[in-house]
């Protein structure tokens, strides 16, 4: 090629014609994914996590990697999104993996299980306690690669029409409660129901259920539970942390170029931190408003907490005895928990204790 | 151009020759930055934060955006890195901004100041409390754009040769202590020194100083302080959180394409979460080893904490009276703190309290 033609070709390339496209495609190929969320669009926090992820990924790839997020039920029912990813109906879901504990209770461990890690510890376990690798070893059997992508922090213990003063007060209560905490509470006579976020209020209003838990003040206020159940308990001992994952079809994950895999993981990591940051900023105003609206804020008594702790440990023992995949990850979490709280109680907890007391004094 | 030549040009382009370079450069241009760290290379946690950032940024840009990290003193002395960024000697620094409180105490507010936010709250303030915008409004005057890029969590109160039982015991103690906590402690008679991480041990060993604080068990163990000062106090009330920033020369920041700005911000956000995760995983083993090595772990008494709280509030009042830039950001932090701890004490703290007690019972 002569110099003049060479320059012409380069100029055409710079203008973005087909000449240069192979080179552009090589560096930032165009990829489009559909993400089925398990959450309703009204919750800018938890549903928003997928949107923060998608926007961040688009931003860092110059809009070449685009994810369209669909709210619960738009493409796929909220509790079937993992099946949709397995079958490649959608490339990914943004969900709480414990919704799928019915497939295998092991699904719950990466999201939240009773009396386990707090949020800082969970992120630490994911990245430096072998958590991400252990989970993905398990998820491989479901044709899935999972990446942490959002966390609510410690949740509330939920909304009850009547007071829960002793463990016996759970008897016969029909409660919307997710994951296998519901299974734990059956030991105390509670009747658990798994209902998607958007469908809880009508069930509670009609009396189909007597109680519900969801997340925390900001989300719960939006869903309106305080209008029909006035006792708001804490802490949600089944969700000392609650981590949401981006779960990607393994084939779709493997066919991404390495730098796109890194872009997905990094955007999800940002969305993970960002969601907790958002909850922490939004919850204080909401808890104030709820209390002003007449909500009765109640701690679970020590007796109730101990009974739930015992029931949880019994459930763990049963599962460990019959499910080696569960036991492998559970053992890792429990070992991590012992060490993590050993440290957490020293600088972190003693600092918070002083600050909470100083605030109370005004 | 004829079809044959057209195809030849395209083929050359695909092979990465100069023909296609303009197109490649457009999507993933080659950028090289130098990052001057204020930390010694021996600390894979805090120094490592810049390396995690650099690797993540390279990974998501297909190795086109490369940052070379230089340890404290390699290119720039640790307490002059901000000057080096201002002057464009290096594109960026990874540092604790409170090292530069001598320029203006406002520098300390984005890193850590006494009795302020914890780590979750700090990230929340950055992203959803207006923190990042407020800080960058201030840093603009220094030709800098800053992005959170690492956090140690709540720190320890440091190493002392003698016990600190009452506020009076600080009198005359020569202590290496960073940021303006040293200024606060002068009110209690302490003599503060600012010494870079790598230089502390010899100063403590020779008796040039009587005490030092650094970060927490994992880093402090590596620096060997326990060999020459056996009382290890907590909490570090001057660092309930300690956030490190990537501080970028504003001109260099502005000349990045938008998607590279997003890539830098997102990689830094990942490094932020990742560093805390690493500290939380490494500190437990270190605190065990230190106690086994004979270290005497001591909480600051309530009386000591109260005296330091009072001295801190006096310092804040003095600064607010004469420094409007400081006051503007301080007011934002304090308003956020009140709300954040209102919420934190409910689900999060009550959950941790139960878990810490359950662990202690075994």
């Amino acid at each position: 090629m002569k110099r003049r033609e060479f320059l012409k070709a380069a100029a055409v390339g710079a203008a973005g014609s087909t000449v240069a496209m192979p080179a552009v495609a090589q560096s930032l190929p165009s990829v489009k994914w559909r993400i089925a969320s398990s959450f309703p669009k009204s919750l800018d926090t938890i549903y928003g996590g997928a949107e923060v992820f998608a926007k961040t990924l688009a931003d860092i790839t110059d809009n070449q990697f685009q994810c369209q997020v669909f709210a619960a039920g738009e493409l796929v029912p909220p509790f079937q999104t993992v099946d949709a990813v397995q079958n490649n109906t959608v490339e990914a879901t943004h969900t709480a993996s414990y919704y799928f504990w019915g497939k295998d209770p092991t699904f719950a461990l990466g999201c939240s299980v009773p009396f386990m890690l707090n949020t800082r510890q969970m992120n630490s376990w994911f990245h430096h306690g072998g958590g991400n690798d252990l989970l993905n070893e398990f998820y491989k059997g479901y044709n899935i690669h999972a990446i942490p992508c959002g966390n609510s922090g410690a949740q509330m213990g939920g909304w009850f029409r009547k007071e829960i003063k002793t463990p016996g007060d759970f008897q016969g209560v029909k409660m919307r409660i997710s994951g296998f905490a519901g299974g734990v509470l059956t030991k105390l006579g509670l009747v658990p129901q798994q209902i998607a976020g958007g469908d809880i209020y009508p069930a509670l209003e009609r009396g189909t259920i007597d109680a519900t838990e969801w997340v925390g003040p900001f989300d719960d206020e939006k869903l309106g539970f305080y209008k029909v159940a006035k006792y708001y308990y804490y802490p949600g001992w089944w969700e000392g942390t609650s981590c949401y994952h981006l779960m990607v079809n393994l084939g779709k994950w493997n066919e991404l170029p390495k730098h796109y895999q890194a872009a997905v993981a990094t955007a999800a990591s940002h969305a993970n931190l960002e969601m907790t940051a958002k909850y922490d900023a939004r919850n204080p105003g909401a808890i104030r408003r709820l209390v002003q609206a007449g909500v009765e804020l109640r701690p679970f008594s020590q007796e109730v907490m101990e009974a739930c702790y015992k029931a949880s440990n019994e459930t763990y023992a049963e599962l460990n005895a019959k499910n080696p995949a569960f036991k492998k990850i559970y053992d890792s979490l429990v070992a991590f928990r012992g060490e993590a709280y050993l440290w957490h109680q020293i600088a972190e907890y003693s600092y918070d204790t002083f600050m909470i007391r100083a605030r109370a004094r005004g």
Side-chain angles (χ1 to χ4, degrees), chain A:
Chain A
M1 187 162 48
K2 287 173 190 147
R3 183 179 144 75
R4 174 171 304 199
E5 283 160 351
F6 184 97
L7 290 174
K8 252 164 69 187
V12 171
S17 85
T18 49
V19 174
M21 283 314 282
V24 172
Q26 195 178 29
S27 52
L28 286 173
S30 172
V31 175
K32 289 188 197 304
W33 276 8
R34 302 194 299 175
I35 301 177
S37 169
S38 292
F39 311 112
K41 202 170 258 178
S42 59
L43 302 180
D44 60 309
T45 43
I46 195 166
Y47 169 82
E51 291 205 319
V52 168
F53 164 78
K55 181 176 187 314
T56 305
L57 184 61
D59 286 350
I60 65 183
T61 60
D62 208 7
N63 291 311
Q64 295 309 300
F65 196 150
Q66 300 208 334
C67 296
Q68 193 177 355
V69 183
F70 295 87
E74 276 187 0
L75 275 185
V76 184
F79 299 143
Q80 290 170 34
T81 62
V82 157
D83 307 75
V85 173
Q86 268 189 278
N87 307 335
N88 207 13
T89 307
V90 292
E91 286 81 4
T93 175
H94 185 245
T95 191
S97 63
Y98 64 10
Y99 288 151
F100 305 92
W101 78 292
K103 292 180 185 294
D104 186 321
T106 313
F107 267 89
L109 293 168
C111 178
S112 181
V113 289
F115 299 103
M116 199 53 74
L117 307 178
N118 69 18
T119 298
R120 281 261 300 267
Q121 295 164 351
M122 194 70 173
N123 284 328
S124 184
W125 180 73
F126 285 142
H127 288 286
H128 289 281
N132 281 335
D133 291 342
L134 280 168
L135 292 173
N136 279 318
E137 183 184 280
F138 169 74
Y139 287 136
K140 211 170 178 177
Y142 290 84
N143 200 29
I144 278 171
H145 180 79
I147 307 167
C149 187
N151 196 310
S152 64
Q155 298 198 357
M156 293 294 282
W159 301 85
F160 294 78
R161 283 223 180 78
K162 60 164 201 166
E163 284 186 85
I164 302 293
K165 292 180 172 175
T166 70
D169 293 332
F170 283 125
Q171 189 68 43
V173 170
K174 282 175 289 176
M175 180 171 182
R176 183 275 177 193
I177 181 165
S178 289
F180 77 64
V184 169
L185 279 165
T186 57
K187 290 183 186 289
L188 298 168
L190 183 133
V191 183
Q193 315 263 329
Q194 182 149 304
I195 303 174
D199 302 324
I200 304 172
Y201 181 83
L204 191 62
E205 196 196 19
R206 281 197 307 267
T208 311
I209 53 174
D210 308 308
T212 185
E213 59 86 45
W214 176 247
V215 172
F218 185 67
D219 287 356
D220 292 9
E221 180 190 31
K222 279 193 181 175
L223 297 183
F225 306 138
Y226 67 98
K227 296 173 195 161
V228 284
K230 79 170 180 180
Y231 297 104
Y232 196 20
Y233 277 87
Y234 66 91
W237 45 263
W238 52 88
E239 290 182 272
T241 189
S242 190
C243 184
Y244 313 112
H245 278 79
L246 184 79
M247 303 180 99
V248 182
N249 176 279
L250 193 55
K252 289 292 171 185
W253 174 255
N254 286 334
E255 74 187 32
L256 288 179
K258 284 262 176 273
H259 64 297
Y260 269 22
Q261 289 185 346
V264 168
T266 308
S269 193
H270 169 67
N272 189 17
L273 182 145
E274 211 277 341
M275 190 195 290
T276 311
K278 190 168 192 173
Y279 271 114
D280 285 346
R282 299 283 186 274
N283 277 326
I287 196 79
R288 275 190 190 281
R289 290 190 297 272
L290 288 170
V291 169
Q292 279 159 8
V295 166
E296 298 279 345
L297 203 55
R298 294 274 190 281
F300 283 128
S301 66
Q302 189 70 14
E303 187 194 357
V304 166
M305 291 290 282
E306 294 291 353
C308 297
Y309 186 58
K310 187 167 167 285
S312 298
N313 285 335
E314 286 167 10
T315 305
Y316 287 136
E318 290 156 16
L319 289 167
N320 286 334
K322 63 185 178 193
N323 187 331
F326 185 92
K327 184 173 188 305
K328 184 174 181 180
I329 302 178
Y330 172 85
D331 285 349
S332 169
L333 279 164
V334 166
F336 197 89
R337 180 183 64 181
E339 290 295 289
Y341 269 112
L342 168 77
W343 164 237
H344 184 88
Q345 71 186 322
I346 300 173
E348 200 75 40
Y349 185 80
S350 65
Y351 183 78
D352 284 335
T353 300
F354 184 87
M355 296 306 292
I356 286 168
R357 287 181 187 163
R359 187 191 169 281
R361 283 199 316 258

PDB file of all heavy atoms in Angstrom, chain A residues 180-203:
ATOM      1  N   PHE A 180     -33.435 -19.815  54.976  1.00  0.00           N
ATOM      2  CA  PHE A 180     -33.781 -20.913  55.853  1.00  0.00           C
ATOM      3  C   PHE A 180     -34.010 -20.500  57.291  1.00  0.00           C
ATOM      4  O   PHE A 180     -34.245 -21.333  58.152  1.00  0.00           O
ATOM      5  CB  PHE A 180     -32.855 -22.109  55.683  1.00  0.00           C
ATOM      6  CG  PHE A 180     -31.507 -22.050  56.280  1.00  0.00           C
ATOM      7  CD1 PHE A 180     -31.339 -21.979  57.650  1.00  0.00           C
ATOM      8  CD2 PHE A 180     -30.401 -22.165  55.478  1.00  0.00           C
ATOM      9  CE1 PHE A 180     -30.086 -22.005  58.196  1.00  0.00           C
ATOM     10  CE2 PHE A 180     -29.150 -22.190  56.022  1.00  0.00           C
ATOM     11  CZ  PHE A 180     -28.975 -22.103  57.387  1.00  0.00           C
ATOM     12  N   ALA A 181     -34.013 -19.181  57.559  1.00  0.00           N
ATOM     13  CA  ALA A 181     -34.420 -18.724  58.889  1.00  0.00           C
ATOM     14  C   ALA A 181     -35.847 -19.186  59.171  1.00  0.00           C
ATOM     15  O   ALA A 181     -36.191 -19.517  60.305  1.00  0.00           O
ATOM     16  CB  ALA A 181     -34.331 -17.204  58.977  1.00  0.00           C
ATOM     17  N   GLY A 182     -36.661 -19.225  58.118  1.00  0.00           N
ATOM     18  CA  GLY A 182     -38.023 -19.733  58.275  1.00  0.00           C
ATOM     19  C   GLY A 182     -38.016 -21.171  58.776  1.00  0.00           C
ATOM     20  O   GLY A 182     -38.771 -21.531  59.680  1.00  0.00           O
ATOM     21  N   GLY A 183     -37.104 -21.962  58.196  1.00  0.00           N
ATOM     22  CA  GLY A 183     -36.974 -23.351  58.626  1.00  0.00           C
ATOM     23  C   GLY A 183     -36.568 -23.439  60.092  1.00  0.00           C
ATOM     24  O   GLY A 183     -37.084 -24.264  60.853  1.00  0.00           O
ATOM     25  N   VAL A 184     -35.653 -22.575  60.506  1.00  0.00           N
ATOM     26  CA  VAL A 184     -35.220 -22.541  61.903  1.00  0.00           C
ATOM     27  C   VAL A 184     -36.415 -22.233  62.803  1.00  0.00           C
ATOM     28  O   VAL A 184     -36.634 -22.877  63.833  1.00  0.00           O
ATOM     29  CB  VAL A 184     -34.115 -21.471  62.108  1.00  0.00           C
ATOM     30  CG1 VAL A 184     -33.844 -21.237  63.583  1.00  0.00           C
ATOM     31  CG2 VAL A 184     -32.837 -21.874  61.370  1.00  0.00           C
ATOM     32  N   LEU A 185     -37.210 -21.257  62.389  1.00  0.00           N
ATOM     33  CA  LEU A 185     -38.312 -20.809  63.242  1.00  0.00           C
ATOM     34  C   LEU A 185     -39.462 -21.814  63.319  1.00  0.00           C
ATOM     35  O   LEU A 185     -40.285 -21.729  64.240  1.00  0.00           O
ATOM     36  CB  LEU A 185     -38.806 -19.429  62.783  1.00  0.00           C
ATOM     37  CG  LEU A 185     -37.938 -18.278  63.312  1.00  0.00           C
ATOM     38  CD1 LEU A 185     -38.229 -16.977  62.560  1.00  0.00           C
ATOM     39  CD2 LEU A 185     -38.152 -18.053  64.822  1.00  0.00           C
ATOM     40  N   THR A 186     -39.510 -22.762  62.387  1.00  0.00           N
ATOM     41  CA  THR A 186     -40.536 -23.811  62.528  1.00  0.00           C
ATOM     42  C   THR A 186     -40.293 -24.606  63.810  1.00  0.00           C
ATOM     43  O   THR A 186     -41.229 -25.132  64.403  1.00  0.00           O
ATOM     44  CB  THR A 186     -40.542 -24.798  61.338  1.00  0.00           C
ATOM     45  OG1 THR A 186     -39.241 -25.379  61.213  1.00  0.00           O
ATOM     46  CG2 THR A 186     -40.915 -24.093  60.041  1.00  0.00           C
ATOM     47  N   LYS A 187     -39.032 -24.676  64.237  1.00  0.00           N
ATOM     48  CA  LYS A 187     -38.725 -25.367  65.499  1.00  0.00           C
ATOM     49  C   LYS A 187     -39.386 -24.678  66.687  1.00  0.00           C
ATOM     50  O   LYS A 187     -39.546 -25.253  67.751  1.00  0.00           O
ATOM     51  CB  LYS A 187     -37.210 -25.429  65.726  1.00  0.00           C
ATOM     52  CG  LYS A 187     -36.478 -26.364  64.767  1.00  0.00           C
ATOM     53  CD  LYS A 187     -35.000 -26.427  65.110  1.00  0.00           C
ATOM     54  CE  LYS A 187     -34.224 -27.229  64.081  1.00  0.00           C
ATOM     55  NZ  LYS A 187     -34.501 -28.685  64.144  1.00  0.00           N
ATOM     56  N   LEU A 188     -39.702 -23.388  66.511  1.00  0.00           N
ATOM     57  CA  LEU A 188     -40.371 -22.632  67.575  1.00  0.00           C
ATOM     58  C   LEU A 188     -41.864 -22.455  67.253  1.00  0.00           C
ATOM     59  O   LEU A 188     -42.538 -21.627  67.859  1.00  0.00           O
ATOM     60  CB  LEU A 188     -39.686 -21.274  67.761  1.00  0.00           C
ATOM     61  CG  LEU A 188     -38.211 -21.357  68.188  1.00  0.00           C
ATOM     62  CD1 LEU A 188     -37.526 -20.003  68.078  1.00  0.00           C
ATOM     63  CD2 LEU A 188     -38.081 -21.890  69.617  1.00  0.00           C
ATOM     64  N   GLY A 189     -42.340 -23.223  66.278  1.00  0.00           N
ATOM     65  CA  GLY A 189     -43.778 -23.231  66.004  1.00  0.00           C
ATOM     66  C   GLY A 189     -44.259 -22.198  65.005  1.00  0.00           C
ATOM     67  O   GLY A 189     -45.455 -22.103  64.714  1.00  0.00           O
ATOM     68  N   LEU A 190     -43.326 -21.387  64.458  1.00  0.00           N
ATOM     69  CA  LEU A 190     -43.726 -20.391  63.464  1.00  0.00           C
ATOM     70  C   LEU A 190     -44.022 -21.059  62.120  1.00  0.00           C
ATOM     71  O   LEU A 190     -43.449 -22.098  61.800  1.00  0.00           O
ATOM     72  CB  LEU A 190     -42.605 -19.359  63.332  1.00  0.00           C
ATOM     73  CG  LEU A 190     -42.833 -18.169  62.390  1.00  0.00           C
ATOM     74  CD1 LEU A 190     -42.431 -16.867  63.083  1.00  0.00           C
ATOM     75  CD2 LEU A 190     -42.013 -18.335  61.112  1.00  0.00           C
ATOM     76  N   VAL A 191     -44.913 -20.441  61.360  1.00  0.00           N
ATOM     77  CA  VAL A 191     -45.258 -20.977  60.036  1.00  0.00           C
ATOM     78  C   VAL A 191     -44.699 -20.023  58.973  1.00  0.00           C
ATOM     79  O   VAL A 191     -45.255 -18.951  58.744  1.00  0.00           O
ATOM     80  CB  VAL A 191     -46.790 -21.104  59.880  1.00  0.00           C
ATOM     81  CG1 VAL A 191     -47.137 -21.740  58.530  1.00  0.00           C
ATOM     82  CG2 VAL A 191     -47.386 -21.897  61.031  1.00  0.00           C
ATOM     83  N   PRO A 192     -43.567 -20.395  58.369  1.00  0.00           N
ATOM     84  CA  PRO A 192     -42.907 -19.465  57.446  1.00  0.00           C
ATOM     85  C   PRO A 192     -43.530 -19.470  56.050  1.00  0.00           C
ATOM     86  O   PRO A 192     -44.046 -20.497  55.600  1.00  0.00           O
ATOM     87  CB  PRO A 192     -41.483 -20.003  57.379  1.00  0.00           C
ATOM     88  CG  PRO A 192     -41.600 -21.455  57.680  1.00  0.00           C
ATOM     89  CD  PRO A 192     -42.803 -21.637  58.549  1.00  0.00           C
ATOM     90  N   GLN A 193     -43.466 -18.334  55.386  1.00  0.00           N
ATOM     91  CA  GLN A 193     -43.934 -18.197  54.013  1.00  0.00           C
ATOM     92  C   GLN A 193     -42.851 -17.458  53.227  1.00  0.00           C
ATOM     93  O   GLN A 193     -42.287 -16.491  53.726  1.00  0.00           O
ATOM     94  CB  GLN A 193     -45.197 -17.324  53.968  1.00  0.00           C
ATOM     95  CG  GLN A 193     -46.228 -17.629  55.013  1.00  0.00           C
ATOM     96  CD  GLN A 193     -47.312 -18.535  54.500  1.00  0.00           C
ATOM     97  OE1 GLN A 193     -47.629 -18.497  53.317  1.00  0.00           O
ATOM     98  NE2 GLN A 193     -47.859 -19.365  55.370  1.00  0.00           N
ATOM     99  N   GLN A 194     -42.613 -17.885  52.004  1.00  0.00           N
ATOM    100  CA  GLN A 194     -41.689 -17.136  51.143  1.00  0.00           C
ATOM    101  C   GLN A 194     -42.519 -16.347  50.133  1.00  0.00           C
ATOM    102  O   GLN A 194     -43.188 -16.916  49.272  1.00  0.00           O
ATOM    103  CB  GLN A 194     -40.705 -18.089  50.448  1.00  0.00           C
ATOM    104  CG  GLN A 194     -39.686 -17.347  49.582  1.00  0.00           C
ATOM    105  CD  GLN A 194     -38.323 -18.055  49.483  1.00  0.00           C
ATOM    106  OE1 GLN A 194     -37.673 -18.337  50.470  1.00  0.00           O
ATOM    107  NE2 GLN A 194     -37.880 -18.311  48.272  1.00  0.00           N
ATOM    108  N   ILE A 195     -42.502 -15.043  50.267  1.00  0.00           N
ATOM    109  CA  ILE A 195     -43.295 -14.156  49.405  1.00  0.00           C
ATOM    110  C   ILE A 195     -42.368 -13.075  48.881  1.00  0.00           C
ATOM    111  O   ILE A 195     -41.566 -12.523  49.641  1.00  0.00           O
ATOM    112  CB  ILE A 195     -44.455 -13.497  50.209  1.00  0.00           C
ATOM    113  CG1 ILE A 195     -45.353 -14.575  50.858  1.00  0.00           C
ATOM    114  CG2 ILE A 195     -45.287 -12.573  49.330  1.00  0.00           C
ATOM    115  CD1 ILE A 195     -46.426 -14.007  51.788  1.00  0.00           C
ATOM    116  N   ALA A 196     -42.463 -12.759  47.594  1.00  0.00           N
ATOM    117  CA  ALA A 196     -41.595 -11.737  47.004  1.00  0.00           C
ATOM    118  C   ALA A 196     -41.934 -10.358  47.566  1.00  0.00           C
ATOM    119  O   ALA A 196     -43.080 -10.094  47.965  1.00  0.00           O
ATOM    120  CB  ALA A 196     -41.733 -11.743  45.493  1.00  0.00           C
ATOM    121  N   GLY A 197     -40.919  -9.480  47.576  1.00  0.00           N
ATOM    122  CA  GLY A 197     -41.039  -8.156  48.183  1.00  0.00           C
ATOM    123  C   GLY A 197     -42.320  -7.421  47.823  1.00  0.00           C
ATOM    124  O   GLY A 197     -43.030  -6.908  48.700  1.00  0.00           O
ATOM    125  N   GLY A 198     -42.641  -7.402  46.533  1.00  0.00           N
ATOM    126  CA  GLY A 198     -43.780  -6.621  46.069  1.00  0.00           C
ATOM    127  C   GLY A 198     -45.132  -7.182  46.488  1.00  0.00           C
ATOM    128  O   GLY A 198     -46.156  -6.487  46.404  1.00  0.00           O
ATOM    129  N   ASP A 199     -45.158  -8.424  46.947  1.00  0.00           N
ATOM    130  CA  ASP A 199     -46.444  -9.069  47.265  1.00  0.00           C
ATOM    131  C   ASP A 199     -46.712  -9.172  48.763  1.00  0.00           C
ATOM    132  O   ASP A 199     -47.741  -9.722  49.182  1.00  0.00           O
ATOM    133  CB  ASP A 199     -46.477 -10.490  46.662  1.00  0.00           C
ATOM    134  CG  ASP A 199     -46.269 -10.476  45.147  1.00  0.00           C
ATOM    135  OD1 ASP A 199     -46.754  -9.523  44.498  1.00  0.00           O
ATOM    136  OD2 ASP A 199     -45.609 -11.398  44.618  1.00  0.00           O
ATOM    137  N   ILE A 200     -45.786  -8.655  49.578  1.00  0.00           N
ATOM    138  CA  ILE A 200     -45.929  -8.873  51.022  1.00  0.00           C
ATOM    139  C   ILE A 200     -47.054  -8.024  51.622  1.00  0.00           C
ATOM    140  O   ILE A 200     -47.868  -8.513  52.401  1.00  0.00           O
ATOM    141  CB  ILE A 200     -44.609  -8.556  51.764  1.00  0.00           C
ATOM    142  CG1 ILE A 200     -43.449  -9.380  51.199  1.00  0.00           C
ATOM    143  CG2 ILE A 200     -44.776  -8.849  53.252  1.00  0.00           C
ATOM    144  CD1 ILE A 200     -42.087  -8.975  51.745  1.00  0.00           C
ATOM    145  N   TYR A 201     -47.082  -6.741  51.257  1.00  0.00           N
ATOM    146  CA  TYR A 201     -48.039  -5.842  51.911  1.00  0.00           C
ATOM    147  C   TYR A 201     -49.483  -6.328  51.814  1.00  0.00           C
ATOM    148  O   TYR A 201     -50.169  -6.430  52.839  1.00  0.00           O
ATOM    149  CB  TYR A 201     -47.897  -4.404  51.386  1.00  0.00           C
ATOM    150  CG  TYR A 201     -48.859  -3.467  52.081  1.00  0.00           C
ATOM    151  CD1 TYR A 201     -48.544  -2.920  53.326  1.00  0.00           C
ATOM    152  CD2 TYR A 201     -50.105  -3.184  51.528  1.00  0.00           C
ATOM    153  CE1 TYR A 201     -49.437  -2.103  53.987  1.00  0.00           C
ATOM    154  CE2 TYR A 201     -51.006  -2.359  52.184  1.00  0.00           C
ATOM    155  CZ  TYR A 201     -50.673  -1.821  53.408  1.00  0.00           C
ATOM    156  OH  TYR A 201     -51.566  -1.020  54.074  1.00  0.00           O
ATOM    157  N   PRO A 202     -49.941  -6.673  50.604  1.00  0.00           N
ATOM    158  CA  PRO A 202     -51.330  -7.147  50.534  1.00  0.00           C
ATOM    159  C   PRO A 202     -51.573  -8.398  51.390  1.00  0.00           C
ATOM    160  O   PRO A 202     -52.639  -8.524  52.003  1.00  0.00           O
ATOM    161  CB  PRO A 202     -51.540  -7.448  49.040  1.00  0.00           C
ATOM    162  CG  PRO A 202     -50.236  -7.254  48.363  1.00  0.00           C
ATOM    163  CD  PRO A 202     -49.346  -6.501  49.268  1.00  0.00           C
ATOM    164  N   ALA A 203     -50.585  -9.292  51.456  1.00  0.00           N
ATOM    165  CA  ALA A 203     -50.750 -10.510  52.266  1.00  0.00           C
ATOM    166  C   ALA A 203     -50.875 -10.154  53.744  1.00  0.00           C
ATOM    167  O   ALA A 203     -51.675 -10.743  54.483  1.00  0.00           O
ATOM    168  CB  ALA A 203     -49.568 -11.450  52.035  1.00  0.00           C
TER     169      ALA A 203
END
